[in-house]
Amino acid sequence: MIDLKNLDDLARKLSDLVPPGLKDARADLEQNFKSTLQAGLGKLDLVTREEFEVQRAVLLRTREKLDAMERALTVLEAKLAEPGASKN
């Protein structure tokens, strides 16, 4: 979910960039900036930091399991390649 405080801060910073002649419309512009930012960010396929960290942990565990399986396969292949290994 998008942090609304950060969105408010960004809209406020954008409204601060408004030329002095348009300062009367500053509040309206700030609200428009905020609405536009919310709409644009809402269309993006974003995940929360928590969801990202969960998926990162899953990927790390999967990599660890894959590495262990690759090591076990290497050991098995070495045993099969030894002279005198039984062949079925």
Side-chain angles (χ1 to χ4, degrees):
M1 180 152 171
I2 299 168
D3 184 3
L4 294 180
K5 182 183 180 304
N6 288 338
L7 198 60
D8 286 340
D9 290 343
L10 183 56
R12 194 172 303 108
K13 287 177 184 177
L14 286 172
S15 70
D16 288 342
L17 297 174
V18 173
L22 298 175
K23 288 294 181 183
D24 296 337
R26 182 177 175 180
D28 288 337
L29 285 171
E30 186 173 331
Q31 185 58 41
N32 286 339
F33 288 145
K34 184 178 174 184
S35 298
T36 302
L37 288 168
Q38 279 181 319
L41 292 173
K43 292 178 184 177
L44 297 176
D45 189 18
L46 302 175
V47 296
T48 64
R49 171 57 68 176
E50 182 180 347
E51 291 169 320
F52 175 81
E53 292 300 333
V54 166
Q55 289 303 313
R56 186 171 175 258
V58 168
L59 178 59
L60 181 60
R61 284 193 308 272
T62 303
R63 283 185 181 163
E64 289 169 351
K65 287 180 182 180
L66 178 60
D67 289 343
M69 291 175 73
E70 286 176 340
R71 287 190 300 273
L73 180 59
T74 301
V75 169
L76 290 172
E77 287 174 337
K79 286 182 181 180
L80 286 173
E82 289 176 0
S86 64
K87 295 184 180 182
N88 295 334

